[in-house]
Amino acid sequence: MADVAHTAGLTVGQAATRLGVTVRALHHWDEIGLARPSLRTAAGYRLYTAGDLERLHRIVVYRELGLGLDRIRGILDDPDADVAEALRGQRAQIAERIDRLQQLGAGLDRMIEAHERGPLLTVDQQAEVFGPRWNPDWPARARERYGDTAQWQQYAERSATRSPEQWQAVADTVTALDRALADAMAAGIEPGSPEANQLVERHREVFSSSYFALSRQMQVCLGRMYEDDPGFAAHYNGIRPGLAIWFRRIIDAGARAHGIDPDSATWQ
């Protein structure tokens, strides 16, 4: 390279600033022969001419479009390269990427909404899916109680991906369980009996698959709520009078069978 005055071109730092890239990137492109400075000063410093900057600018543009360095080299150095065709191909890839990002954005919107209000169903859809005893305020109340927990996060993530038909399947499963509980109570099944313990396990499995993973201690906490909360108590007692208290009793008896003291059980 010819020795020239410092003012004949831009140094690596100056060129990097003008192009909005790092000095390290320019050094790398120089090392691989993609964009080498044409001049040097008498002291040996590299200088980029106007022609060098034009090539660098095209490299930066192509990089922003997502082209790899080898592909860029082919476009810049091959006189027969079809630049327009290469850019059309890259544009198609960008369009696909935009579509994926839009889908991701829509999924995030659903996730946010599910975190904030639970099932992504209108009030009318909730009534249709969950039945006339369903209280649309329950998800909001549950969020107030559990919104900061990992369990609510799991519930929200499931809610964000469920269709009305999938929620209907959940509701049918829960309704069948409620009916089995009422039938067992009517048949005189006693808390702590094998039949009652089997129903307690069935409740934990149904709840875990429908909402979030439910530990036995958490189940005890829910049993308290089913009895004490006016809304839940009305739901169960509406199925059969006294069912809320009986349900709480069989949950407590099942917990004792696994070495858990219902009186000291906590949400864990």
Side-chain angles (χ1 to χ4, degrees), residues 186-256:
I189 299 299
E190 290 294 326
S193 66
E195 295 85 355
N197 288 341
Q198 185 177 19
L199 283 171
V200 171
E201 287 304 302
R202 179 177 170 184
H203 168 258
R204 201 162 67 89
E205 291 170 1
V206 167
F207 194 100
S208 296
S209 63
S210 301
Y211 306 112
F212 54 80
L214 187 70
S215 69
R216 299 187 195 282
Q217 293 213 46
M218 291 177 185
Q219 189 179 30
V220 170
C221 296
L222 286 182
R224 294 176 194 153
M225 185 175 67
Y226 294 158
E227 179 182 355
D228 298 338
D229 183 276
F232 282 105
H235 168 74
Y236 286 108
N237 293 333
I239 299 172
R240 181 174 181 83
L243 183 59
I245 295 175
W246 183 84
F247 193 9
R248 160 78 183 274
R249 289 177 61 207
I250 68 168
I251 289 176
D252 286 355
R256 291 190 188 95

Side-chain angles (χ1 to χ4, degrees), residues 175-188:
T175 298
L177 173 60
D178 289 348
R179 188 181 305 115
L181 290 168
D183 291 344
M185 179 184 172

